[in-house]
Structures are given as C-alpha cells and as structure tokens.
C-alpha cells in the first residue's frame, strides 16, 4: 500500500507543479475531498507563495438541499485554511447571471447549447472572480472519480475474482458506521436487486424521466440505442463501476465536459485544468487493483491516505455530502416570469416544437413548487428537465431560420 500512496502523491504533485509555473495559482473549492486535495497540495508545494481558493457558497435564502445533505462545505473550507497559512479562500455568493436570463451571447460565443446549463451562471461567479484576480488558469478537483479519488466498488471486487475481500470490506464498512451490512452485500453480490425489490434502493432512471426531448423525436433519433452505446444500459447505470469502467465511461462522455470548459473559457478568458486528469496520474491509477480504492473499511482509501498530511480531519473523514448550487431554486424563482416568456418565445420555433416536449415544460411551469423542499422532492424535473429544456429550446429558436428573428 505504501507504493500506492507514495506513487499517487508524487504524480499528483508533479501534475500540479506543471500547471502552476506562471501567474497566480487559484483553485475552485467546494470543501469536498477532490478540490481540497488539489488546494492542499498546491499550497504545500508553493509555500510560502500564496494560493487563492475560490469557493461558491449560498446566502441565507430558501435553499434546496437533499435530505441528509448540507448546504455547503464552509466548515471544511475553514479547517483547510487553518491547515495552510498561505491558502486564502474567498467565499463568493454569485447573483443571478445574465446568461441564465438570456443565453444568446453564450450561443454566439460557442455555437451550441451546453449540458452545464443548470449551473453555468453559478459557476461563472467563480470564473469571473478568477478573471478579476488576474488568474489565467483555474485548477479544480473535477474528474477525481476517474483518478485518485475513485470511490471504489465492492461489486467490482467480486467481478475481479475477490468475493471474500468484498465481503470483508462490506463488514468493515458496516462496523465503522458507513452503511448497513445487508446493503453493502446486496450491492456487491446482487447489484442492489434486493433493495430495488423492496423499493428502498436508488432506481436506475429511465432517461425519459430526466429529458425534455419529445418522445416522437427521441424514437426517430434512436436516443435509447445511443444511450446504451454510450454506457447507459436501459437509460442510466445502477451498478457502481470499478475504476477501469469509470474511466471508460468518462472517456466516452468527455465531449460534454470539453464543451462546458470551452463555454466558461469563451465567456471569461479563464482556462480550466484538473490535475486529476493528468495522463501520468490516470495511467498510474489504471495499474492499481480495485482494492487500492476501497480498503480497511473506507471508500476512497487511496485519496484519504496519500494526502493525509495536507488535509484536516474535517475533510479527510467527512462523509456528508454538500449540495452544489443550493440556491438554484431561489434564483430560478426570481426569474419565473422570464421563464414563461422564454417558453412562449420557444413555441414560435417549428424546430423546437419538433424536438422538445414543450407541453411538459409548460406543465412544470404551471405546477410550480411552493417551496425549495418541494422542488427538491420533484427530483430532476425543475433543476434539470425544465432548465435544460428551456436552454436547448432557446438555442433551437436562435438557430432556426424560420423564427422570423
């Protein structure tokens, strides 16, 4: 195991140093394990030079938070700053961005809609703060799951011929208070089937539940078949992938990530880089067995152990998830009238009417949730389906030569 942790540490340090040779060094921070590792290592290797951490945090407005989650990672961020005297963390509370109200200038800059539509305005708060600070390249903890911070999969251990180790780790996880033994066994050996039968586990979602695409257009375009080719059997994966599977899935879908990065760069002039995606780091992780990631009763064992000295316990041992963009419903509600106007504009486009289920989007607007809690309970309907549908609809209207504009 020491060879695993030392190798991971050395290669990630090298990747960060190569990305921090010139100009101010800045990291987009959430308080989670991935971005905290990048910031902690950057602060350690750059000391005594200053490293800027940019953290997007919500205000006190009505927040949409999943049950059992927290609104943000501020306690972890404060602990990380105490560990590194040269790490300055700027908390940013971005207002509603003009790209959320009218994305036309985004389409002009990139020539396409983007999958990041629900969070693009929120993220631009961090990118524009970096731009004002003279930062040319913003480091993030993105893509950690396809790298050192891969969670680890008990079912992958079973598939790799180590059922006894999978059972042992399931017992260790349960003994450490990290889930129930029967749930870990069910996931490891039966793919979560037992919990699905009992109606207690997460169900693999049919893509139609998430997507604003018109059903007739989807059938004509072969959407289901294309999703299966992209690694979404039946719509979306349920069985937790092993490391090699996770890399394979990521590489198939990397085009969407590249498009998102290009949009942020086009609007701010600030580039993005993730040390976790460094080829040397990924190649090293590909050489490791699955037990390097789930070990001693801990998921993400490699990341927690390799960077123990640059992470406070509040980050290293934290297992509570923090919401990303917890104020999304509050900001969406502020522009509710504009959403109705946007849909009316989209309805004038024959292309949008053909491709999108506009009646469904209208129903969502007419059945507006009374609270952020109700919006969260509605699943992806408002945060994803509605926002992405209006975003793509606006693009199709902008693109459609018959819109009369």
């Amino acid at each position: 195991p020491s060879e695993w942790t030392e190798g991971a540490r050395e290669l990630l340090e090298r990747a960060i140093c190569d990305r921090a040779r010139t100009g101010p060094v800045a990291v987009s921070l959430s308080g989670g394990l991935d971005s905290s590792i990048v910031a902690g290592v950057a602060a350690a290797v750059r000391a005594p030079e200053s490293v800027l951490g940019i953290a997007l945090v919500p205000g006190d407005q009505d927040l949409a938070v999943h049950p059992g989650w927290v609104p943000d990672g501020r306690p972890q961020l404060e602990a990380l700053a105490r560990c590194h005297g040269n790490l300055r963390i700027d908390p940013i509370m971005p207002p509603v961005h003009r790209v959320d109200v009218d994305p036309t200038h985004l389409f002009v800059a990139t020539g396409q809609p983007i999958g990041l539509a629900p969070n693009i305005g929120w993220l631009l708060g961090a990118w524009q703060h970096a731009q004002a600070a003279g930062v040319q390249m913003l480091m993030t903890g993105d893509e950690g799951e396809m790298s050192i911070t891969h969670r680890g999969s008990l079912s992958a251990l079973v598939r790799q011929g180590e059922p006894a180790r999978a059972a042992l780790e399931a017992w260790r996880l349960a003994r450490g208070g990290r889930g129930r033994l029967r749930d870990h066994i069910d996931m490891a050996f039966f793919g979560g089937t037992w919990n699905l039968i009992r109606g207690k586990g997460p169900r693999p979602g049919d893509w139609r539940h998430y997507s604003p695409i018109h059903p007739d257009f989807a059938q004509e375009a072969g959407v289901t078949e294309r999703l299966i080719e992209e690694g979404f059997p039946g719509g979306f994966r349920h069985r937790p992938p092993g490391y090699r599977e996770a890399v394979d899935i990521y590489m198939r879908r990397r085009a969407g990530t590249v498009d998102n990065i290009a949009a942020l760069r086009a609007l701010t002039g600030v580039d993005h880089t993730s040390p976790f995606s460094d080829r040397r780091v990924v190649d090293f992780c590909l050489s490791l067995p699955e037990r390097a990631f789930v070990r001693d009763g801990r998921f993400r064992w490699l990341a927690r152990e390799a960077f123990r000295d640059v992470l406070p316990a509040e980050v290293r041992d934290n297992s509570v998830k923090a919401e990303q963009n917890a104020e999304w419903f509050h900001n969406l509600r502020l522009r509710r009238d504009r959403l109705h106007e946007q849909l009316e504009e989209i309805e004038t486009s024959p292309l949008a009417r053909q491709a999108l289920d506009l009646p469904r989007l209208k129903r969502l607007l007419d059945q507006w949730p009374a609270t952020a809690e109700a919006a969260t309970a509605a699943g992806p309907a408002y945060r994803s389906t509605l926002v992405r549908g209006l975003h793509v609809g606006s693009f199709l209207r902008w693109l459609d030569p018959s819109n009369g504009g």
Side-chain angles (χ1 to χ4, degrees):
S2 62
E3 295 178 359
W4 301 341
T5 56
E6 291 170 6
R9 177 64 174 265
E10 177 186 350
L11 290 172
L12 190 69
E13 285 184 354
R14 195 179 303 169
I16 289 174
C17 287
D18 288 348
R19 287 162 170 77
R21 289 178 176 174
T22 60
V25 177
V27 182
S28 176
L29 276 169
S30 67
L33 186 63
D34 302 49
S35 61
S36 296
I37 287 175
V38 174
V41 172
V45 299
R46 295 280 294 188
E49 296 180 35
S50 176
V51 172
L52 172 63
I54 304 175
L56 295 168
V57 297
D60 297 327
Q61 60 267 23
D62 192 18
L63 302 179
V65 182
H66 286 84
W69 293 26
V70 295
D72 59 70
R74 266 179 277 200
Q76 287 74 32
L77 292 170
E78 292 168 359
L80 185 65
R82 290 194 297 269
C83 279
H84 302 281
N86 62 325
L87 175 62
R88 188 192 92 211
I89 299 179
D90 290 353
I92 307 297
M93 298 181 187
V96 174
H97 197 280
R98 70 186 182 102
V99 75
D100 291 324
V101 179
D102 182 3
T104 302
H105 68 289
L106 170 64
F107 304 149
V108 172
T110 64
Q112 62 183 2
I114 60 170
L116 194 61
N119 285 336
I120 180 67
W122 179 72
L123 283 172
L124 278 169
W127 257 252
Q128 290 177 334
H129 187 78
Q131 179 188 37
V135 173
Q136 296 180 339
M137 182 173 290
L138 186 62
M139 282 194 278
T140 75
D142 294 351
E143 300 154 0
E145 179 61 21
M146 60 150 289
S147 182
I148 292 170
T149 67
H150 174 62
R151 181 175 184 268
S153 168
L154 299 180
S155 61
L157 285 176
V158 174
R159 295 193 298 276
Q160 292 174 12
E162 296 191 83
R165 179 173 289 276
L168 174 61
E169 292 302 338
W171 177 78
R172 286 172 170 170
L173 286 161
R175 186 182 63 174
R178 303 179 184 93
R180 297 184 301 182
L181 177 60
R182 68 182 183 186
D183 293 338
H184 289 311
I185 293 296
D186 178 34
M187 188 60 69
F189 292 91
F190 306 105
T193 302
W194 176 239
N195 269 337
L196 287 174
I197 292 173
R198 296 170 63 232
K200 294 186 178 295
R203 293 185 174 275
D206 188 306
W207 67 265
R208 287 163 290 197
H209 179 60
Y210 297 80
S211 173
I213 300 175
H214 194 287
D216 294 341
F217 181 80
Q219 184 174 3
E220 180 182 341
V223 171
T224 298
E225 293 75 15
R226 292 171 67 180
L227 283 172
I228 291 173
E229 290 177 4
E230 291 296 317
F232 288 103
F236 285 86
R237 298 190 69 92
H238 176 56
R239 184 183 66 185
Y243 179 70
R244 290 168 181 78
E245 292 174 295
V247 172
D248 179 63
I249 293 168
Y250 172 79
M251 293 306 296
R252 293 189 195 187
R253 305 170 195 167
R254 182 170 172 78
T257 301
V258 172
D259 290 343
N260 293 334
I261 294 169
L264 291 166
R265 180 174 57 241
L267 294 176
T268 64
V270 177
D271 212 338
H272 158 285
T273 184
S274 173
F276 286 121
S277 65
D278 188 283
R279 178 65 180 268
R280 296 163 295 185
V281 176
V282 175
D283 282 349
F284 173 77
C285 291
L286 283 169
S287 73
L288 301 178
E290 190 70 22
R291 62 180 182 273
F293 303 101
V294 52
R295 187 179 181 87
D296 297 337
R298 298 301 302 267
F299 289 117
R300 294 184 164 193
W301 179 89
L302 179 64
R304 299 182 198 277
E305 289 300 313
F307 303 97
R308 175 175 289 274
D309 62 318
V310 298
L311 296 175
E314 291 89 339
V315 173
R316 188 178 62 247
D317 300 330
N318 180 48
S319 60
V320 178
K321 292 184 178 181
E323 197 72 51
Q324 186 181 70
N325 190 10
E327 65 269 52
W328 70 266
F329 182 69
H330 171 79
N331 290 340
L332 199 64
R333 184 168 51 198
L334 291 177
R335 61 182 201 273
R336 185 179 174 186
D337 290 342
R338 172 58 190 151
L339 299 179
H340 282 278
E341 294 173 359
Q342 198 174 356
L343 181 58
E344 291 174 0
E345 294 167 357
I346 292 168
E347 288 173 334
T348 66
S349 166
L351 183 58
R353 291 198 303 270
Q354 176 188 5
L356 299 174
D357 191 349
L358 299 184
R360 182 185 179 192
L361 300 184
K362 187 176 188 307
R363 288 194 301 273
L364 289 174
L365 286 173
D366 291 342
Q367 300 167 4
W368 193 262
T371 64
E373 183 179 2
T376 302
Y382 288 89
R383 185 172 190 174
S384 180
T385 307
L386 176 63
V387 174
R388 285 195 169 103
L390 294 175
H391 178 78
V392 173
S394 294
F395 173 76
L396 293 176
R397 179 179 178 272
W398 174 75
L399 185 70
D400 194 342
S402 64
N403 67 14

